[in-house]
Amino acid sequence: MEFFRYLGANTRESFTKLGRGSYFLIGMLAGISSVLVRPHLILKQMHSVGVLSFLIIFISGLFVGMVLGLQGFYILSRFGAEETLGVMVAASLVRELGPVVSALLFAGRAGSALTAEIGLMKATEQLSGMEMMAIDPIKRIISPRFLAGFLSMPLLAALFSAVGIMGGQIVGCGLLGVDDGAYWSQMNAAIDFQKDIINGVIKSLVFGFITTWIALFEGYDAVPTAEGVSRATTRTVVNSAFSILGLDFILTALMFGDN
Amino acid sequence: MDNRGHHPNQNSLVSVHNLTFSRGEKKIFDNISLEFERGKITAIMGPSGTGKTTLLKLIGGQLFPENGNIMVNGRDVHHLKRDELYTLRKRMGMLFQSGALLTGMNVYDNVAFPLREHTHLPESMIRSLVLMKLEAVGLRGARDLMPNELSGGMARRVALARAIALDPMMIMYDEPFTGQDPISMGALVLLIKSLNTTLGLTSIIVSHDVYETAAIADYIYVLSEGKVVGQGTPQEIKESSSEWVQQFMNGAADGPVHFHYPAKEKYMDDLLHCDKSLFSRKRLFGEKPAKRRRYS
């Protein structure tokens, strides 16, 4: 009996939270128009959300690419197809690893920072104070951050893929002796702009949207205490990771499922 | 004594009628009515946890009452459209207990913030306005400091400069004296009084600092358990016959408000009562079985 009560209470809580989250999303999207006329607000946030995530994305991309080079070479050389290493590295990065891994890193680096920042602003009454100054905190604080996250994500994913491809080249061509020209020309011939690159960009836009939304909402909805903010930050990372991986499956099925 | 009590007064800027508000089971306000006269300093006093801050949030339209209404400058705060409420709020300053300064910007930008958001004034004029407001609170020299470099009293003065930046008709002070050293306390008392006179403001002070508040207030309401237990000028309050008001004003430890939080068992029984088994569930795990927690 206790179990059913627990289940019922949790379900109800989840649905009310989903409702609050959707309401928040509508307000956030409605606030975008007023942000667009003040681009310096977005630029400032893009610096803290995007530019400051540059290093972690760069280093992770490099190593992921280098590992792909090693693993790919090992498998492909069994079929005598080392020349197609470039295709393998580029396809896996552009289609999957670029958007997914950079979104996971983004959730850990920028998402958690956003949640903590908004949660602390709430705890120190800054949001409430802004409301009393007749300034809508959703328009002034949330919407610029959302737009910044949404726009930064595909750029970071593109950076991740580009650096990864170079990492693959360093290992494949530099250490393992794959021909440089073959690496690039095979890649050039096999990767399709529409099918691979555009689909990858769509993925990262979706991930950017969902991650930034979760991060901002968790911060805004946090219990305004030290413990509340810490729990909200954890939830941001956990829920973002679930959403990214779950949505990745759905998107992949929709994009590449028919062949 | 009760010459304005429950009848709306022509001269009131803010009037609260039959307000009821609860948090969960607890009634924070039980059908109270208050009047705040124009140009005067009115204080709301009472022990911690009587919902004094809640009252300010209700007046500011951040919370909704269960019953009753609140009129500010002749308009019912809780029946305004969002735009109208925001227009009204531009004329209501509020000083939060923590100051609520934006931690990402320095003192100057904090004071300039409402001006930049609400007006299209050129930067040179904003500069003059900000410096005037900072000069009024004595912190023109601190304009380049960040909020984390300010002491509590300075942060509150900066917040005060920000609250008067748009030249409001009223200011609500939330516990302005709490946790201040005697010097900043004196500075704040002086500031509140002088701003009220020079700017022709209407001030609402929520506080439990008896002496400081009584020194500058024109009228005082004493609240307890959701009711108004005393009201009048500071002199009338000091001479009040209510035991409750006397206990509060004199800071007596026991009186109508008991020193002891109500306990279920008598003290003796409680001491003598001892759980028989050394390894009982109660002893090992506390009173209740631990609550289940979610995964995150």
Side-chain angles (χ1 to χ4, degrees):
Chain A
M1 216 53 219
E2 177 72 8
F3 171 75
F4 286 108
R5 211 178 65 187
Y6 175 72
L7 192 71
N10 260 358
T11 313
R12 230 177 68 173
E13 194 189 311
S14 308
F15 275 101
T16 27
K17 189 159 183 183
L18 195 65
R20 286 202 303 277
S22 312
Y23 192 71
F24 176 82
L25 178 67
I26 293 168
M28 185 164 85
L29 295 178
I32 285 179
S33 57
S34 65
V35 177
L36 288 176
V37 294
R38 299 170 70 186
H40 70 277
L41 289 178
I42 310 174
L43 290 182
K44 199 177 161 202
Q45 292 309 320
M46 277 188 93
H47 177 258
S48 73
V49 171
V51 177
L52 297 181
S53 306
F54 189 90
L55 193 66
I56 184 174
I57 294 287
F58 187 91
I59 294 175
S60 314
L62 187 68
F63 278 100
V64 168
M66 281 158 64
V67 169
L68 276 177
L70 282 174
Q71 294 280 17
F73 183 82
Y74 173 70
I75 292 173
L76 292 174
S77 62
R78 286 165 63 179
F79 309 103
E82 303 93 84
E83 308 295 297
T84 55
L85 182 65
V87 183
M88 197 214 127
V89 170
S92 32
L93 277 170
V94 172
R95 284 181 172 192
E96 283 300 328
L97 292 172
V100 173
V101 178
S102 58
L104 290 172
L105 292 170
F106 181 79
R109 163 66 184 74
S112 58
L114 283 176
T115 306
E117 188 190 13
I118 305 288
L120 282 173
M121 286 181 98
K122 187 180 179 187
T124 52
E125 294 183 314
Q126 293 181 46
L127 297 182
S128 186
M130 227 178 249
E131 264 177 37
M132 283 307 299
M133 283 188 275
I135 297 159
D136 186 350
I138 302 238
K139 272 188 194 157
R140 181 60 177 69
I141 300 290
I142 305 289
S143 294
R145 282 167 174 73
F146 171 73
L147 217 52
F150 180 62
L151 297 177
S152 301
M153 192 64 252
L155 298 176
L156 290 171
L159 177 78
F160 187 95
S161 300
V163 174
I165 289 169
M166 285 179 218
Q169 191 206 3
I170 292 170
V171 171
C173 307
L175 300 179
L176 301 171
V178 178
D179 181 56
D180 260 335
Y183 186 87
W184 289 107
S185 63
Q186 291 272 2
M187 188 195 304
N188 207 353
I191 300 293
D192 182 58
F193 182 73
Q194 176 69 36
K195 195 159 173 49
D196 296 313
I197 295 178
I198 293 291
N199 277 343
V201 171
I202 292 173
K203 272 189 183 180
S204 62
L205 281 171
V206 172
F207 297 157
F209 185 96
I210 204 89
T211 312
T212 322
W213 174 30
I214 289 176
L216 292 170
F217 175 66
E218 286 293 353
Y220 194 78
D221 200 48
V223 182
T225 59
E227 201 208 356
V229 175
S230 104
R231 283 173 149 240
T233 314
T234 312
R235 276 201 304 273
T236 293
V237 179
V238 172
N239 293 349
S240 299
F242 282 157
S243 318
I244 290 165
L245 296 171
L247 278 173
D248 183 46
F249 176 74
I250 294 171
L251 288 172
T252 310
L254 288 176
M255 289 167 176
F256 305 104
D258 55 348
N259 53 355
Chain B
M1 177 175 128
D2 185 2
N3 55 354
R4 35 184 202 169
H6 299 259
H7 307 289
N9 189 315
Q10 290 297 315
N11 211 18
S12 294
L13 181 64
V14 180
S15 33
V16 176
H17 301 295
N18 307 327
L19 175 75
T20 304
F21 183 81
S22 319
R23 277 247 158 89
E25 294 289 294
K26 196 182 174 216
K27 270 202 172 165
I28 308 272
F29 299 117
D30 189 2
N31 200 19
I32 60 166
S33 298
L34 311 164
E35 298 289 330
F36 300 92
E37 225 173 285
R38 276 176 210 276
K40 295 281 168 65
I41 300 179
T42 308
I44 310 282
M45 307 193 77
S48 313
T50 41
K52 301 190 296 295
T53 307
T54 310
L55 180 66
L56 295 187
K57 289 198 167 169
L58 281 162
I59 294 175
Q62 289 192 313
L63 295 173
F64 281 81
E66 267 159 48
N67 240 321
N69 60 39
I70 296 174
M71 308 289 282
V72 176
N73 205 17
R75 315 207 59 181
D76 186 338
V77 176
H78 299 97
H79 287 97
L80 291 177
K81 286 191 191 120
R82 193 182 163 78
D83 296 350
E84 295 172 321
L85 178 64
Y86 270 47
T87 313
L88 184 64
R89 276 187 189 163
K90 282 182 205 169
R91 307 196 55 207
M92 302 164 80
M94 174 144 174
L95 187 72
F96 283 83
Q97 195 172 351
S98 58
L101 295 176
L102 300 168
T103 41
M105 19 175 122
N106 65 14
V107 166
Y108 179 92
D109 288 330
N110 260 293
V111 180
F113 186 73
L115 293 166
R116 286 180 180 148
E117 292 291 322
H118 288 309
T119 67
H120 297 286
L121 295 174
E123 201 56 31
S124 61
M125 193 174 281
I126 287 184
R127 184 172 184 277
S128 320
L129 283 170
V130 171
L131 293 183
M132 278 159 65
K133 304 297 175 189
L134 281 174
E135 178 72 14
V137 298
L139 289 176
R140 190 167 48 86
R143 65 185 145 185
D144 294 325
L145 297 181
M146 294 301 283
N148 59 3
E149 296 172 294
L150 301 173
S151 71
M154 282 163 85
R156 254 173 242 185
R157 279 151 72 185
V158 174
L160 187 52
R162 186 178 68 175
I164 56 172
L166 289 173
D167 291 317
M169 58 183 177
M170 60 180 281
I171 297 198
M172 299 187 275
Y173 299 92
D174 186 5
E175 299 284 4
F177 310 119
T178 306
Q180 299 295 309
D181 63 74
I183 299 175
S184 355
M185 189 111 94
L188 280 166
V189 170
L190 190 74
L191 260 179
I192 293 174
K193 182 77 187 166
S194 66
L195 285 179
N196 199 74
T197 337
T198 52
L199 302 180
L201 293 168
T202 302
S203 305
I204 302 177
I205 302 180
V206 147
S207 178
H208 51 229
D209 291 284
V210 172
Y211 297 104
E212 290 73 20
T213 311
I216 52 172
D218 295 304
Y219 202 81
I220 296 178
Y221 288 97
V222 185
L223 297 187
S224 170
E225 290 174 356
K227 302 247 182 223
V228 178
V229 291
Q231 58 176 300
T233 60
Q235 195 55 35
E236 285 168 350
I237 288 285
K238 272 175 202 158
E239 291 162 2
S240 165
S241 56
S242 155
E243 271 182 65
W244 199 99
V245 174
Q246 283 306 323
Q247 185 192 358
F248 182 75
M249 298 303 280
N250 298 318
D254 211 349
V257 178
H258 294 295
F259 172 69
H260 291 287
Y261 191 83
K264 280 183 199 149
E265 294 168 87
K266 279 185 185 161
Y267 186 38
M268 269 310 196
D269 296 343
D270 220 356
L271 282 180
L272 291 173
H273 179 265
C274 165
D275 210 344
K276 298 289 185 299
S277 117
L278 193 59
F279 298 106
S280 72
R281 186 185 170 80
K282 189 176 166 188
R283 196 174 264 266
L284 289 173
F285 302 112
E287 197 80 35
K288 291 175 196 162
K291 251 181 153 181
R292 279 204 241 174
R293 291 173 66 166
R294 298 181 62 195
Y295 63 90
S296 59

